[in-house]
Amino acid sequence: PLRRSHLRPPLLSPSPPPKSPNPPSPPPPANSTPFCSEKSKKKKKPPLPTPAPSPPELSELHSDISKNWTILEGISGIGGDSGPSGSGATVRMFRKQAGSNGGKIGVVFHCQDTEEDDFGYDEEYEDGGEEEEEKPAQAVRFGVTVSKAGKTVVMQCRAGQGEVSVESVAVRDGDTEAVLSALAGGEGVHSSLYQGPEFTELAEDLQEAFNTYVEKECGIDSDVTAFITMYADYREQEEYVAWMKSAASILS
């Protein structure tokens, strides 16, 4: 007879754990960044704008205007520039010939003191069956100064649609250089000095007399106003490119 122990099933040895088809990778070093290579760390810098060349018509106009006017870009110490001319955003003009009364005549304008001159440009026209809206022209504000015996008359003007209109008249102490620097530095309606009466409240013949004086006596004709308008736009583009380069050099 067989013993009971002979009827026991044989003991089975434990099977090994299943092998993983892809063994885990070792952890990356502490100083490394996963999924990031040296090339990917270097971001591509966006291309900076380049200044556009001066339009031929502006260059020709500049040459003609320079026969009677001295044109200077910037004022020393204004715009954060300690150079001889300062920021090019401000442009000064000095008439080479004095006025009939011996007064020294000057002009100052800022390249950003512009606005759309939409007078007469709100009508649509048809071209090839499609209606298009013509882009409004640009108007610019500028100051005209007449200096004599340490006093200066400042006439703030606006040029648009080929016409110049005087908007205000004030009297300042100082010569042309000092007054133009004050105007470029922001001296205006917030000054403590008397700003003169409201121009529109003056008699119409007096308003017309100031407008005629600016054109005839100061020499602010259609060529000069066209130059101021075109040059302000050109200088604004130049200053924009310089601003972009300065900002990128600081922040990148």
Side-chain angles (χ1 to χ4, degrees):
L2 295 176
R3 299 182 187 178
R4 186 182 296 269
S5 60
H6 289 171
L7 298 178
R8 291 177 182 174
L11 295 176
L12 299 176
S13 60
S15 58
K19 293 183 178 180
S20 173
N22 295 318
S25 303
N31 59 351
S32 68
T33 305
F35 311 113
C36 183
S37 64
E38 289 299 322
K39 286 185 179 180
S40 63
K41 288 181 184 178
K42 296 179 181 178
K43 293 183 179 179
K44 243 184 178 181
K45 294 182 180 180
L48 294 175
T50 55
S54 175
E57 58 271 22
L58 176 57
S59 299
E60 183 178 351
L61 197 55
H62 187 288
S63 179
D64 291 340
I65 297 299
S66 298
K67 296 175 183 177
N68 299 318
W69 295 81
T70 300
I71 304 169
L72 301 175
E73 294 179 0
I75 296 179
S76 180
I78 293 180
D81 193 336
S82 58
S85 61
S87 170
T90 302
V91 179
R92 293 171 296 160
M93 300 171 58
F94 298 95
R95 193 179 180 190
K96 296 179 180 180
Q97 182 180 357
S100 59
N101 64 344
K104 187 176 181 180
I105 300 170
V107 171
V108 63
F109 61 93
H110 191 281
C111 67
Q112 289 181 300
D113 200 2
T114 59
E115 63 185 9
E116 287 187 351
D117 191 19
D118 54 2
F119 176 77
Y121 280 85
D122 55 350
E123 295 182 359
E124 296 182 347
Y125 64 94
E126 292 186 2
D127 185 10
E130 295 182 0
E131 291 187 353
E132 296 180 1
E133 186 175 350
E134 189 173 349
K135 184 179 179 180
Q138 188 183 52
V140 60
R141 284 186 165 84
F142 59 95
V144 178
T145 62
V146 180
S147 302
K148 184 181 178 182
K151 294 280 188 179
T152 299
V153 173
V154 181
M155 291 166 282
Q156 296 286 5
C157 305
R158 181 184 186 274
Q161 298 295 309
E163 297 181 357
V164 177
S165 57
V166 179
E167 295 185 325
S168 68
V169 179
V171 179
R172 295 285 179 267
D173 291 329
D175 58 8
T176 301
E177 289 277 2
V179 173
L180 289 182
S181 297
L183 292 174
E187 191 255 32
V189 294
H190 299 294
S191 170
S192 59
L193 300 174
Y194 177 62
Q195 300 299 310
E198 287 290 334
F199 190 76
T200 54
E201 294 178 0
L202 297 175
E204 289 187 5
D205 57 343
L206 186 54
Q207 296 182 39
E208 187 60 34
F210 276 113
N211 287 319
T212 302
Y213 186 90
V214 166
E215 180 182 357
K216 303 296 185 183
E217 182 68 20
C218 299
I220 311 299
D221 55 17
S222 58
D223 287 342
V224 173
T225 55
F227 170 76
I228 292 174
T229 303
M230 294 175 64
Y231 203 62
D233 181 67
Y234 172 71
R235 285 305 313 159
E236 200 279 333
Q237 296 178 40
E238 292 278 305
E239 290 297 310
Y240 168 74
V241 172
W243 171 82
M244 279 291 291
K245 290 181 177 179
S246 297
S249 66
I250 296 171
L251 301 178
S252 59

